[in-house]
Amino acid sequence: MTVRKNQAALTADEKRRLVAALLELKRSGRYDAFVTTHNAFIVGDTDNGERTGHRSPSFLPWHRRFLLEFERALQAVDASVALPYWDWSTDRTVRAALWAPDFLGGTGRSSDGRVTDGPFAAAAGNWPVNVRVDSRTYLRRSLGTGVRELPTRAEVDSVLSIATYDAAPWNSGSDGFRNHLEGWRGVNLHNRVHVWVGGQMATGVSPNDPVFWLHHAFVDKLWSEWQRRHPGAGYVPGGGTPDVVDLHDTMKPWNDTTPADLLDHTRFYTFDTDG
Amino acid sequence: MPDLSRRRALTAAAALATAAGAQAVLAPAAGAAPAADATPQAGVEPSPGAMPSADPHHGHGMPDMPEPFDEVYKGRRIAGRPTTMGTGHEHHGGYGVFVDGVALHVMRNADGTWISVVSHYDPVPTPRAAARAAVDELEGARLLPFPAN
């Protein structure tokens, strides 16, 4: 069974293996297919139209499945690898080990945002940004400039305390846990982290930065924490909602999985804090 | 893939999406293919005379359409106006935004704020603010036409 660990607790060997698997997915072209899929959904999901990956109740199960697909691709390269998560409410500065040269590398240089250290720096030659919205082919970051502060644990707790999963109109204007976690409303958790990282992470092609997966693995973990806090609450809506993935509707692009199939993460993996 | 034609970019994107099991995702983009046939420069700003003033099929349930704008910001021409033209699969409430003549994918949120594909998690009040944020983010880089963005 896959165990997803806090990135801060990874051993040097675990980091090495994860990085190697990421670079191999990139080399083979599999990595960029995930970036393309994400961008297709992010430009296609709209508040007044069909919405699946973002700004909708299925934001959480969609990303759970997307990460599962990605994790399986990593494991096809190295079966020992699991996706770690980045608890940005704790590891909240540019000095976190996450950003060290033996893992993801640090922030970008001020002139052009280019990441200059770590395995994903353009100069290493292993991380061309191919699926992109502008002419720049190098990984960029600007940690802590688009917004100064990552969410605090108190802010996370305030969102985990919201007892309703989601609410009409089931979009970026909704009240409820999902939209507060996604960040279109309230203290802003998930969206703010994308902005804090900057570079490609602030764009529709955000999976170009490997931290995308660690960010979403933590968002996914927060969903499981919310379930534990609110055992009587569940995914809504339950049926008949136009443009929205109901509990038993299949989700694009897989068309073989419903939110109901994805509610229990322990079918697929556990967290180092489960138990 | 900055120098690919729209058709070739679509094909490449479809191949990548298929590799990810994402055939259905590209349906909206595929729907834009006829426009690409008729307009090799699809994704590049049409002439103003070709632009209708408004699109009755868009903006349903939305606030009034924002005013057009056209200015030079940090040395780059940014423009926005209501449109039915162009870029096909994107959902922008019938409002097109261009940076140096290249369409910038923008989207209006339920609360009336705006985002663009280069600043997708950070709503701003107006499409002009989204265009300016894009210029800031691009730091002089050339925007790629749809469907790449």
Side-chain angles (χ1 to χ4, degrees):
Chain A
M1 173 64 84
T2 297
V3 179
R4 293 191 179 172
K5 298 179 183 172
N6 190 319
Q7 60 78 27
L10 295 183
T11 66
D13 186 57
E14 287 169 331
K15 291 180 190 180
R16 244 189 328 265
R17 285 172 170 272
L18 174 61
V19 166
L22 287 164
L23 295 178
E24 172 54 22
L25 283 191
K26 183 67 164 179
R27 190 203 59 75
S28 71
R30 291 274 292 138
Y31 191 97
D32 286 348
F34 285 91
V35 186
T36 298
T37 296
H38 186 268
N39 194 44
F41 275 87
I42 213 161
V43 301
D45 296 324
T46 61
D47 276 337
N48 283 7
E50 186 174 326
R51 47 198 185 275
T52 301
H54 306 85
R55 56 180 68 236
S56 60
S58 47
F59 167 71
L60 290 169
W62 190 91
H63 280 85
R64 177 164 285 177
R65 174 65 186 261
F66 191 55
L67 264 64
L68 275 168
E69 295 285 326
F70 185 73
E71 188 171 53
R72 288 165 182 161
L74 288 171
Q75 290 172 343
V77 176
D78 181 342
S80 77
V81 170
L83 279 182
Y85 61 87
W86 168 33
D87 177 353
W88 23 254
S89 73
T90 299
D91 295 305
R92 36 187 297 108
T93 76
V94 299
R95 293 173 298 282
L98 175 68
W99 308 113
D102 69 338
F103 200 13
L104 299 190
T107 194
R109 65 188 184 193
S110 60
S111 59
D112 60 3
R114 187 186 306 242
V115 171
T116 58
D117 69 350
F120 309 101
N126 296 319
W127 204 256
V129 176
N130 302 313
V131 182
R132 58 186 188 270
V133 297
D134 62 59
S135 54
R136 292 169 290 183
T137 59
Y138 48 88
L139 181 65
R140 292 177 293 112
R141 292 184 191 127
S142 191
L143 303 182
T145 63
V147 61
R148 187 165 302 182
E149 297 291 338
L150 288 164
T152 63
R153 186 66 212 186
E155 287 171 329
V156 168
D157 285 335
S158 74
V159 171
L160 291 176
S161 73
I162 299 171
T164 304
Y165 177 77
D166 207 343
W170 319 109
N171 64 17
S172 75
S174 288
D175 206 348
F177 167 69
R178 185 275 310 167
N179 197 36
H180 280 78
L181 175 56
E182 190 171 359
W184 301 110
R185 211 160 170 181
V187 298
N188 186 356
L189 301 183
H190 153 269
N191 282 354
R192 195 194 333 174
V193 175
H194 278 275
V195 175
W196 186 89
V197 174
Q200 280 89 2
M201 259 293 271
T203 76
V205 292
S206 46
N208 273 306
D209 191 327
V211 81
F212 174 92
W213 310 103
L214 284 73
H215 171 36
H216 271 279
F218 185 59
V219 171
D220 182 81
K221 185 172 188 291
L222 292 178
W223 183 21
S224 76
E225 289 182 25
W226 178 86
Q227 290 173 311
R228 192 169 291 193
R229 285 200 196 194
H230 306 278
Y235 185 96
V236 283
T241 316
D243 293 327
V244 170
V245 180
D246 293 310
L247 179 62
H248 297 292
D249 291 345
T250 57
M251 282 189 299
K252 296 177 181 176
W254 309 286
N255 300 315
D256 64 356
T257 313
T258 69
D261 298 327
L262 291 160
L263 299 181
D264 178 9
H265 71 278
T266 64
R267 293 177 57 193
F268 311 104
Y269 51 87
T270 57
F271 293 106
D272 52 1
T273 53
D274 286 347
Chain B
M1 40 189 176
D3 298 320
L4 292 185
S5 71
R6 177 181 175 80
R7 172 177 292 282
R8 289 190 57 205
L10 270 171
T11 305
L16 285 167
T18 300
Q23 300 91 323
V25 185
L26 275 233
D37 293 339
T39 312
Q41 291 300 303
V44 175
E45 186 175 16
S47 68
M51 309 290 281
S53 59
D55 177 0
H57 301 294
H58 281 80
H60 180 68
M62 287 291 198
D64 290 340
M65 194 62 69
E67 290 298 311
F69 66 91
D70 192 337
E71 69 178 23
V72 174
Y73 173 74
K74 293 190 175 176
R76 306 185 71 169
R77 185 178 168 214
I78 57 173
R81 65 181 69 88
T83 177
T84 58
M85 280 294 294
T87 47
H89 73 282
E90 78 283 11
H91 301 265
H92 49 32
Y95 194 92
V97 171
F98 304 88
V99 177
D100 291 337
V102 179
L104 170 70
H105 182 279
V106 296
M107 186 183 293
R108 186 182 222 159
N109 294 320
D111 65 358
T113 59
W114 291 75
I115 53 175
S116 85
V117 75
V118 299
S119 188
H120 209 278
Y121 304 91
D122 195 8
V124 292
T126 64
R128 186 197 301 254
R132 289 177 172 177
V135 168
D136 291 344
E137 210 288 325
L138 287 167
E139 295 182 308
R142 183 169 47 88
L143 195 63
L144 300 188
F146 291 121
N149 68 9

